[in-house]
Amino acid sequence: MKTFANSLLALWQQLGLNQRVSLAVAALAVAGGLIAVVMWSKRPDYQLLYARMGDKDAAAVISYLQSQNIPHQVTAGGTAVQVPADQVYKLRMDLAGKGIPSGEGVGFEIFDKGQFGLSDFVQRTNYLRALQGELSRTIMQVQGVRSARVMIVQPENRLLLTDQGVKATASVFIDVGGGRLDIDQVNSIRHLVANSVQGLAVDQVAIVDNRGRVLSEELKQDPTLGTASSQMRYKQQVEDYLAKKVESMLAAVIGPGNAVVRVSAEIETEATTLVQEKFDPEGQVVRTLTKTEDTTASTESRASGGAVGVSANLPEKSGSTAAADAPPVSKNDQSRKNSTTTYEINRTVTNTTRNPGTVKNLSAAVFVAPRVTPAAPPAAGADPKAPPAEPVVQKRSAEELNALRQLVVNALGLKAAPGQTLESLVSLQETPFQAVDRVPAQIAALQSEGRLQSWIEVASRWAAVAGAALVLLIFVRILGKQKPEPVPVEVLSMTPEAAARALPNSNSVTADVLNELIRRKPANAGAALRDWAASEGPAVAASKN
């Protein structure tokens, strides 16, 4: 170290004034660069707090940060704010508690201030704006949604409606960045909006993401299953439900992960209406009963006092003769009864309507893994270098497989038709699985990725410092390898005044002449002194010895 210091000192003494100044300036520049890099590496790591904010929201956030004396940076033209990484989540919770940012929309706080003299149209418009704002804020709480905007269209309440088919509709625009929402998340947003608006059906809610994809088109309910996509989606839902049902049952019997179940369902896709009318003669009943009764009576007899009239009063006829000539008495009685009975035959009318979606037939395929018995531990005197014993695989008997098949049949509710067997409905086979333990590999990959990320962050902080130190080392090495070149001394012509002051025995060189030469050409004087020291130094040392 002392030798290196002496060499540097000797090198410094050999340098000229300009070279010393240049070296000092370079050293100061490198030192300043190192100080700047160290200061830059020690500055706080800023992370995004909020982005794409409006002017009001950005002003509110910055005002809060300034009031709390929290360092921050405003980027993206004033629409984004960055704060130290260790304070991001705390600040988000604090700002959320104060309702900042408001999310580029107004909620029901629009009615906090009393507004008198507003028309009914303005009141309904404000209510619609508040409802849209509240729904937007709620949707933004869903994981994966960066921002959301809701537009609701409701029919006007008029006394005389010309179009009775107008229904409420809603459109939701969501920004998911570069991600994608699950079907359950999209469906939850649809139901959230539909249940918040009066008269709005779930199928009338359209959801569009920032990439222009309609996320709700495949989720619309088709009651008649008229489209192929609806039929396939319903068929897949039925098969997945039944397969999970059987797998969960088998997992409790033979262990999780030891059974694979696939169900195939035949779905009825046509709507049918059946009208059936039946008559039952044995079940007849009396509907009407009509009875009619007619009675007729006729009576005729002779008078006992003779004929009535003038002939009875004549003297020449006697009374006995008149009585003898009278007709006999006749009597006629007639009676008739009529009865009419009407019977009603029992009739049954059956009207059956079958909607599509009925499961016509089911079949299942099941794979089960054989039983695996763990290997016995090594004995006390066993060789420690011996390979470990492998587990024992035991296959199930035919009775056990049939019992498992019967469980699957009962779980699916299958019934064999005439001529079918259970084996044709449920195919169950026992085969060893190719078990691949991917969990440790995934954990190791995640851990290595995390360590790599941490090393990258550390390296990015100290890379600039290492680069500056390397540049300084290279500069010193190059400077040490360079040797100073001798600078020839220029001979200057003396002025007459200097020549007059010159000493006769000093080769015309006086103190005034030397001062004049040094003043006019200081570099030449320095080079001459270095040359003299280099040439005279060894001679003086030898003389001393």
Side-chain angles (χ1 to χ4, degrees), residues 278-335:
K278 293 182 179 180
F279 294 92
D280 186 12
E282 300 297 332
Q284 61 182 358
V285 294
V286 178
R287 182 175 183 180
T288 58
L289 177 61
T290 304
K291 292 183 179 181
T292 304
E293 183 176 355
D294 296 337
T295 303
T296 303
S298 298
T299 302
E300 185 179 356
S301 60
R302 185 184 298 273
S304 57
V308 178
V310 180
S311 59
N313 296 321
L314 294 177
E316 62 270 9
K317 291 185 179 180
S318 59
S320 59
T321 305
D325 293 337
V329 177
S330 61
K331 185 178 181 181
N332 186 12
D333 295 333
Q334 184 178 1
S335 177

Side-chain angles (χ1 to χ4, degrees), residues 171 272 380 386 407 515:
S171 301
T272 58
L407 289 177
N515 291 332

Side-chain angles (χ1 to χ4, degrees), residues 285-524:
V285 294
V286 178
R287 182 175 183 180
T288 58
L289 177 61
T290 304
K291 292 183 179 181
T292 304
E293 183 176 355
D294 296 337
T295 303
T296 303
S298 298
T299 302
E300 185 179 356
S301 60
R302 185 184 298 273
S304 57
V308 178
V310 180
S311 59
N313 296 321
L314 294 177
E316 62 270 9
K317 291 185 179 180
S318 59
S320 59
T321 305
D325 293 337
V329 177
S330 61
K331 185 178 181 181
N332 186 12
D333 295 333
Q334 184 178 1
S335 177
R336 185 180 64 180
K337 294 182 180 180
N338 187 11
S339 177
T340 303
T341 304
T342 303
Y343 294 92
E344 184 70 24
I345 299 177
N346 187 17
R347 184 183 65 169
T348 303
V349 179
T350 305
N351 191 348
T352 305
T353 301
R354 294 180 180 178
N355 293 325
T358 305
V359 179
K360 298 171 59 177
N361 191 12
L362 286 176
S363 60
V366 182
F367 285 97
V368 295
R371 286 192 297 263
V372 178
T373 303
D383 187 6
K385 296 183 179 180
E390 297 182 356
V392 181
V393 178
Q394 297 178 355
K395 292 187 177 181
R396 295 179 176 85
S397 61
E399 291 77 8
E400 292 176 341
L401 295 178
N402 290 331
L404 293 177
R405 181 181 291 106
Q406 187 63 39
L407 289 177
V408 175
V409 170
N410 295 336
L412 296 178
L414 299 178
K415 294 182 180 179
Q420 284 185 338
T421 60
L422 296 180
E423 288 77 5
S424 61
L425 297 177
V426 177
S427 175
L428 191 145
Q429 296 182 7
E430 185 180 19
T431 181
F433 290 177
Q434 299 294 332
V436 178
D437 192 5
R438 299 181 179 178
V439 176
Q442 293 177 354
I443 295 176
L446 292 176
Q447 291 178 351
S448 62
E449 184 179 356
R451 288 194 297 267
L452 180 61
Q453 187 68 21
S454 62
W455 279 109
I456 290 176
E457 292 180 358
V458 173
S460 63
R461 292 184 178 181
W462 294 101
V465 178
L470 181 61
V471 170
L472 179 59
L473 180 60
I474 294 173
F475 177 75
V476 172
R477 293 287 295 261
I478 293 175
L479 189 61
K481 291 181 180 181
Q482 289 183 353
K483 295 182 179 180
E485 297 179 358
V487 180
V489 179
E490 298 180 2
V491 179
L492 301 176
S493 60
M494 294 184 297
T495 59
E497 295 78 6
R501 294 193 299 268
L503 297 177
N505 297 326
S506 59
N507 295 329
S508 299
V509 178
T510 62
D512 294 336
V513 173
L514 291 177
N515 291 332
E516 182 67 19
L517 292 175
I518 293 172
R519 185 182 62 81
R520 295 177 63 182
K521 293 291 183 177
N524 293 342

Side-chain angles (χ1 to χ4, degrees), residues 26-43:
L28 290 176
V30 172
L34 289 176
I35 294 174
V37 169
V38 172
M39 296 297 294
W40 175 80
S41 62
K42 290 184 177 180
R43 70 172 186 172

Side-chain angles (χ1 to χ4, degrees), residues 53-77:
M53 294 185 298
D55 296 337
K56 294 182 179 179
D57 292 338
V61 171
I62 295 174
S63 176
Y64 177 79
L65 296 177
Q66 291 177 351
S67 64
Q68 299 295 327
N69 295 325
I70 298 174
H72 60 278
Q73 293 180 352
V74 181
T75 58

